[in-house]
């Protein structure tokens, strides 16, 4: 079952957590399951097997830049001293959105200018990760706010180009104020003093039976006393319209598939926390939908490898082109596509293990 919940206030410690579906919720078909998507309005979040569940908001569906799973590279298992390639949720979404975008990011690996929205998301994620380094009693909003400036300094040291996003000190100040407001919203949605995550920023890799390697980073993994697993992802934008909830859940089902194939147990709950408007999207996956997703990813990889073999990564025009960094190289916008680097193709194809 999939639910979207509004969290305008937060329950105190020990309060009962439940979710009541709105009477006028309009059901919609859910991918591969036949489940219904409902909208729930409540001031709390549901409880799962003894876990206290919280909430936070999600990002508009805009293109993703390079992700942590691409940054995690070690010189083993592939040519040119690079880690074996893998299919991530972001790159899978890229190919489905626009094969040429996928090529520029996964094959050519072209640099992209920093995005204010993406960098703000990285900053807030870093603060929330550091917050759980503190003892439970110290996980207050004041502590989180005090972490923001040091994390911003660290981010600037790692990526000096982020300063170019701002016209001046006032512009930067307004942007940092937005980040602070997202942290305030987080504390309206969850009580981190009641949570002890099993994992944070967890790198997950698994190879499907087809030989395709999957890779991703999970923001937070919670495990209840009864062993039930909740996968949590923070989003700094707003929760999507119900029409786009299935697309938003693609990333979470991807994580669920990897964890299921690694551990043999389907996660009990997937939870997207949207800090932008104080809503949470939850879904309780079933094995059948993960089997369907695995088949879909195998077919997707076949299409990707065919495009790599022919060099034919076609552009696809959509409203998301407005956010694309590569319009100057796109023939749909009068650009000229550069030659495809052979070493990039060679590395991409390492994502599928050679038959034994």
């Amino acid at each position: 079952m999939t639910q979207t919940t509004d969290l305008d206030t937060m329950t105190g410690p020990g309060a009962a957590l439940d979710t009541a579906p709105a009477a006028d919720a309009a059901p919609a078909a859910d991918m591969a399951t036949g489940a219904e998507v409902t909208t729930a309005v409540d001031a709390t979040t549901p409880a799962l097997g003894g876990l206290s569940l919280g909430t936070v908001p999600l990002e508009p569906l805009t293109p993703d830049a390079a992700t942590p799973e691409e940054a995690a590279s070690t010189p083993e298992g592939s040519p040119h001293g690079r880690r074996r390639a893998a299919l991530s949720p972001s790159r899978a979404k890229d190919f489905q959105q626009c094969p040429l975008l996928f090529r520029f990011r996964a094959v050519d690996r072209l640099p992209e200018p920093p995005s204010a929205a993406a960098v703000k998301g990285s900053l807030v994620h870093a603060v929330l990760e550091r917050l759980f380094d503190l003892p439970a009693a110290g996980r207050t909003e004041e502590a989180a706010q005090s972490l923001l400036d040091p994390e911003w300094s660290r981010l600037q040291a790692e990526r000096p180009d982020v300063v170019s996003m701002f016209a001046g000190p006032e512009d930067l100040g307004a942007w940092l104020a937005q980040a602070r407001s997202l942290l305030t919203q987080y504390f309206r949605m969850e009580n981190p003093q009641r949570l002890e995550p099993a994992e944070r920023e967890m790198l997950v890799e698994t190879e499907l039976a087809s030989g395709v390697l999957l890779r991703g980073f999970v923001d937070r993994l919670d495990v209840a006393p009864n062993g039930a697993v909740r996968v949590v992802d923070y989003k700094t934008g707003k929760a999507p319209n119900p029409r786009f909830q299935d697309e938003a859940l693609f990333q979470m089902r991807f994580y669920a598939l990897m964890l299921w194939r690694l551990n043999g147990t389907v996660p009990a709950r997937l939870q997207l926390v949207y800090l932008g408007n104080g809503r949470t999207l939850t879904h309780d996956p079933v094995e059948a939908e993960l089997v369907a997703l695995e088949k879909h990813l195998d077919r997707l990889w076949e299409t990707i490898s065919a495009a790599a073999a022919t060099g034919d990564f076609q552009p696809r025009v959509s409203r998301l082109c407005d956010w694309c960094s590569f319009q100057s190289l796109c023939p749909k916008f009068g650009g000229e596509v550069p030659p495809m680097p052979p070493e990039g193709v060679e590395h991409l194809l390492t994502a599928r293990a050679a038959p034994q």
Side-chain angles (χ1 to χ4, degrees), residues 6-275:
D6 283 311
L7 290 182
D8 297 323
T9 61
M10 186 180 134
T11 56
L17 301 181
D18 58 8
T19 302
D24 59 351
D30 192 43
M31 182 190 90
T33 64
E36 288 187 342
V37 177
T38 59
T39 301
V41 181
D42 196 359
T44 61
T45 352
L48 170 65
L51 270 175
S52 165
L53 304 190
T55 55
V56 188
L58 179 105
E59 212 70 356
L61 299 177
T62 55
D64 298 306
T67 54
E69 52 265 24
E70 276 114 33
S73 57
T74 57
E76 57 181 81
S78 72
H80 313 296
R82 287 165 62 185
R83 186 179 189 141
R84 179 182 167 190
L87 190 61
S88 69
S90 297
R91 297 296 78 87
K93 192 178 84 169
D94 280 348
F95 190 87
Q96 294 171 110
Q97 174 190 319
C98 173
L100 186 59
L101 172 67
F102 171 89
R103 193 204 114 172
F104 287 152
R105 285 179 169 163
V107 180
D108 300 64
R109 296 175 68 86
L110 298 178
E112 298 182 64
S115 150
V119 174
K120 182 166 56 185
S122 297
L123 177 59
V124 171
H125 273 73
V127 169
L128 293 178
E129 183 185 2
R130 296 285 86 77
L131 182 68
F132 284 98
D133 288 338
L134 302 175
R139 297 172 198 157
T140 63
E141 182 182 346
E142 292 74 18
Q145 297 290 357
S146 72
L147 291 169
L148 192 134
D149 285 341
E151 287 301 318
W152 172 232
S153 297
R154 181 190 59 79
L155 200 155
Q156 290 178 83
E158 291 176 356
R159 289 199 60 183
D161 59 337
V162 296
V163 179
S164 66
M165 300 186 303
F166 309 108
E170 288 187 6
D171 194 22
L172 171 60
W175 182 84
L176 288 172
Q178 292 171 1
R180 292 190 184 281
S181 70
L182 293 171
L183 293 175
T184 296
Q185 179 69 287
Y186 171 75
F187 281 85
R188 295 190 183 119
M189 302 176 76
E190 282 193 329
N191 182 352
Q193 294 179 335
R194 297 169 61 185
L195 295 168
E196 289 297 340
E199 299 285 351
R200 289 172 283 138
E201 286 297 313
M202 176 186 178
L203 172 63
V204 184
E205 286 188 350
T206 188
E207 186 174 281
L208 301 179
S210 63
V212 176
L213 183 66
L214 306 183
R215 180 181 298 142
F217 270 84
V218 174
D219 282 351
R220 199 178 87 210
L221 204 67
D222 299 334
V223 180
N226 65 359
V229 171
R230 178 178 63 182
V231 184
V232 180
D233 195 73
Y234 307 119
K235 300 294 182 181
T236 50
K238 296 180 179 179
N241 181 290
R243 291 185 301 140
F244 302 113
Q245 285 181 346
D246 194 63
E247 183 178 345
L249 284 167
F250 174 78
Q251 171 192 8
M252 303 303 285
R253 288 189 174 101
F254 197 108
Y255 294 154
L257 170 61
M258 288 194 291
L259 292 167
W260 174 45
R261 286 308 187 200
L262 279 172
N263 305 321
T265 302
V266 175
R269 175 153 297 167
L270 310 177
Q271 182 164 303
L272 283 159
V273 177
Y274 291 91
L275 295 170

